[in-house]
Amino acid sequence: MAAAVAAADEKLEKLRDAVAKLDQISENEKAGFTSLVSRYLSGEAEQIEWSKIQTPTDEVVVPYDTLAPAPEDLDATKKLLDKLVVLKLNGGLGTTMGCTGPKSVIEVRNGFTFLDLIVIQIESLNKKYGCNVPLLLMNSFNTHDDTQKIVEKYSSSNIEIHTFNQSQYPRIVTEDFLPLPSKGKSGKDGWYPPGHGDVFPSLNNSGKLDTLLSQGKEYVFVANSDNLGAIVDIKILNHLIHNQNEYCMEVTPKTLADVKGGTLISYEGRVQLLEIAQVPDEHVNEFKSIEKFKIFNTNNLWVNLKAIKRLVEGEALKMEIIPNPKEVDGVKVLQLETAAGAAIRFFDKAIGINVPRSRFLPVKATSDLLLVQSDLYTLVDGFVISNPARANPSNPSIELGPEFKKVANFLARFKSIPSIVELDSLKVSGDVWFGSGITLKGKVTITAKSGVKLEISDGAVLENKDINGPEDL
């Protein structure tokens, strides 16, 4: 045991020396990184004792429909909103969808990007209530330069927009546990952004936290920039201010599509996030069942700013470390990351709120883009609103083959997005092309055989169809 500790200490010392010589990052980043590595090497990850897990009560995970209504008085609402800041996590690139640059500038609907919609939403809030809700964008070194250029186009809007960067940490070479950049990898490949758990120290290190506190701001609403359902909710804000909850995680009922999402549990008297990576192998199936763990984390978080300041300065936010192994040019590397949701157990009076599914509408792939561009939704003041004509409360399940993976290819294969208000499921594989004005209903499967181009003609109505070739149309 002593030998293992000594070996870990030596590893850390060598790494610390190498990191001290890296001049691309700040002293704060060096300190944050070595602290993270030190925690990782000490193996302080607490194993969850499965038998101690309890299902949270309605006091801990509050049902949304039990919240008091938002005040009807415009002045009272303005007072609440003047305490709020909206922060979007904007560090992701659109690479998985075949785009270059920040994911938030992918066009979502009617020519508007994620960022356009976010800005329009906050503009309409500020206008309606005469309040001043600022927008913060947490970029990574991957998205910073592009975002700065894009933000200029909103300079005449009625919102204050602040940008800041999350930390930049060096990837660790697995073989000898030294930072990749100290081996001559000076480009972007040598570095990584350490997950959105970094939002709290970065907000503080950037000086933005002090600025917001000096303006009398009290709460920050943090959400992923690609979640179109993550809009400001005055009822939630009102509840947190009245009950002095320092932290709130929005959770929503799990469907079979969300079995890997983190869930909230009560553990040793505190509310805690349980992620699949923490679950012992013999309990993984139980974790994935929607019987025992009925809710999952949407990553819409509401956090008290003074509490963030107190915990960051006290170095108290020791979130679970997520080791993320990667390969860069054939070299095996390790990234250590943290998640913002895991911070819930360090805040006082932390709660979850079980919100309607409509507050979780992420666009992770072109199949999600098909949903939000279709007639399932309309756009009002930047808000993506469900079409009341849809009888089924959950969205259709959509599986598109690799030919549709990139946004450009996806758009090219649809002359117009089909009507899917009455669709239950769609599965498309092979070289399939859609005309305009098509209606899909029930369960539809379209499979083009290898080497065959299958075209669905303009105006076609497909209901409960299984199409394997032109003869089935």
Side-chain angles (χ1 to χ4, degrees):
M1 183 69 191
V5 171
D9 286 349
E10 190 184 345
K11 255 185 187 176
L12 183 63
E13 216 37 59
K14 281 185 175 164
L15 184 76
R16 190 178 271 133
D17 290 347
V19 170
K21 298 184 183 114
L22 299 173
D23 53 9
Q24 299 96 319
I25 54 173
S26 69
E27 292 307 313
N28 276 335
E29 286 168 313
K30 290 176 186 177
F33 174 69
T34 44
S35 156
L36 193 63
V37 174
S38 157
R39 283 176 52 216
Y40 172 72
L41 286 175
S42 72
E44 69 163 48
E46 297 168 34
Q47 275 303 303
I48 292 271
E49 280 190 50
W50 200 253
S51 59
K52 288 187 179 177
I53 290 176
Q54 292 178 312
T55 304
T57 62
D58 284 0
E59 277 77 55
V60 179
V61 176
V62 181
Y64 182 81
D65 51 16
T66 66
L67 298 180
E72 286 175 22
D73 179 53
L74 280 182
D75 266 358
T77 306
K78 175 188 184 306
K79 273 199 180 107
L80 288 174
L81 287 169
D82 276 335
K83 296 177 176 178
L84 183 69
V85 184
V86 173
L87 191 159
K88 296 288 179 172
L89 302 169
N90 190 48
L93 292 167
T95 41
T96 42
M97 294 167 76
C99 300
T100 55
K103 188 176 178 185
S104 57
V105 298
I106 292 175
E107 281 190 16
V108 187
R109 203 177 163 112
N110 306 16
F112 292 117
T113 65
F114 289 108
L115 209 48
D116 292 337
L117 295 177
I118 291 163
V119 169
I120 295 165
Q121 289 166 13
I122 299 178
E123 272 183 339
S124 54
L125 262 187
N126 284 346
K127 194 170 163 190
K128 181 175 177 182
Y129 296 104
C131 54
N132 170 25
V133 176
L135 171 64
L136 273 79
L137 298 172
M138 181 168 86
N139 302 321
S140 64
F141 59 87
N142 289 317
T143 59
H144 172 77
D145 293 348
D146 287 334
T147 304
Q148 292 305 94
K149 291 189 197 105
I150 294 155
V151 164
E152 283 170 20
K153 78 172 185 178
Y154 308 120
S155 56
S156 60
S157 76
N158 68 352
I159 0 182
E160 266 180 53
I161 300 181
H162 302 263
T163 60
F164 67 100
N165 270 18
Q166 73 177 110
S167 306
Q168 173 174 332
Y169 285 176
R171 286 174 161 154
I172 303 166
V173 180
T174 312
E175 192 188 6
D176 58 9
F177 218 76
L178 287 172
L180 190 56
S182 62
K183 306 203 151 187
K185 265 272 177 234
S186 53
K188 281 189 175 174
D189 280 351
W191 306 89
Y192 74 98
H196 45 61
D198 186 54
V199 63
F200 305 118
S202 294
L203 191 57
N204 188 50
N205 292 343
S206 65
K208 298 290 178 193
L209 185 52
D210 288 337
T211 305
L212 297 167
L213 286 168
S214 70
Q215 292 172 352
K217 302 298 178 192
E218 290 180 22
Y219 277 87
V220 58
F221 173 43
V222 180
N224 296 350
S225 62
D226 66 4
N227 179 5
L228 295 170
I231 59 179
V232 170
D233 187 304
I234 297 164
K235 263 171 72 164
I236 294 178
L237 179 63
N238 184 42
H239 182 87
L240 302 179
I241 289 174
H242 272 285
N243 294 285
Q244 298 180 313
N245 302 107
E246 288 189 344
Y247 187 110
C248 164
M249 174 188 290
E250 291 185 37
V251 291
T252 199
K254 221 185 315 194
T255 67
L256 292 171
D258 317 299
V259 291
K260 290 183 178 169
T263 190
L264 282 184
I265 56 171
S266 286
Y267 190 78
E268 297 186 331
R270 287 186 90 79
V271 60
Q272 193 162 326
L273 179 68
L274 177 66
E275 298 274 15
I276 193 163
Q278 297 164 276
V279 175
D281 292 346
E282 66 271 24
H283 294 290
V284 166
N285 285 340
E286 196 181 337
F287 176 81
K288 285 183 174 177
S289 89
I290 53 181
E291 302 306 309
K292 179 166 180 176
F293 299 103
K294 295 183 169 64
I295 50 172
F296 76 98
N297 170 20
T298 62
N299 218 35
N300 298 348
L301 310 170
W302 301 73
V303 195
N304 181 283
L305 293 168
K306 279 187 181 151
I308 294 174
K309 183 84 181 158
R310 180 186 82 233
L311 292 169
V312 169
E313 291 194 336
E315 295 183 12
L317 290 177
K318 295 186 176 356
M319 280 94 90
E320 286 76 11
I321 296 170
I322 306 158
N324 186 359
K326 298 252 179 189
E327 203 165 289
V328 179
D329 298 338
V331 179
K332 287 188 164 58
V333 296
L334 181 64
Q335 300 180 179
L336 301 177
E337 302 172 10
T338 60
I344 189 165
R345 63 195 178 99
F346 301 106
F347 288 85
D348 293 337
K349 293 192 179 177
I351 57 167
I353 293 182
N354 194 349
V355 298
R357 183 79 192 195
S358 57
R359 293 190 57 75
F360 184 66
L361 187 60
V363 179
K364 301 290 181 200
T366 50
S367 52
D368 301 321
L369 212 48
L370 175 60
L371 292 174
V372 299
Q373 291 186 347
S374 75
D375 55 354
L376 285 177
Y377 295 97
T378 50
L379 201 59
V380 182
D381 290 339
F383 297 97
V384 178
I385 311 284
S386 296
N387 182 346
R390 167 106 179 145
N392 184 341
S394 57
N395 278 339
S397 87
I398 295 187
E399 280 181 58
L400 302 175
E403 297 78 5
F404 292 82
K405 187 178 178 187
K406 294 186 170 176
V407 174
N409 297 349
F410 162 83
L411 293 172
R413 287 175 178 273
F414 287 98
K415 260 199 210 166
S416 73
I417 299 291
S419 165
I420 57 173
V421 172
E422 294 177 55
L423 179 70
D424 296 320
S425 66
L426 170 67
K427 194 169 183 177
V428 182
S429 47
D431 188 12
V432 180
W433 297 77
F434 291 81
S436 59
I438 291 169
T439 304
L440 304 174
K441 301 179 179 186
K443 291 185 173 173
V444 179
T445 306
I446 306 169
T447 313
K449 295 189 179 76
S450 181
V452 176
K453 180 178 182 182
L454 190 53
E455 297 189 50
I456 314 293
S457 54
D458 295 356
V461 177
L462 305 180
E463 182 167 5
N464 293 321
K465 282 261 190 169
D466 198 346
I467 294 162
N468 293 300
E471 65 284 356
D472 296 330
L473 287 165

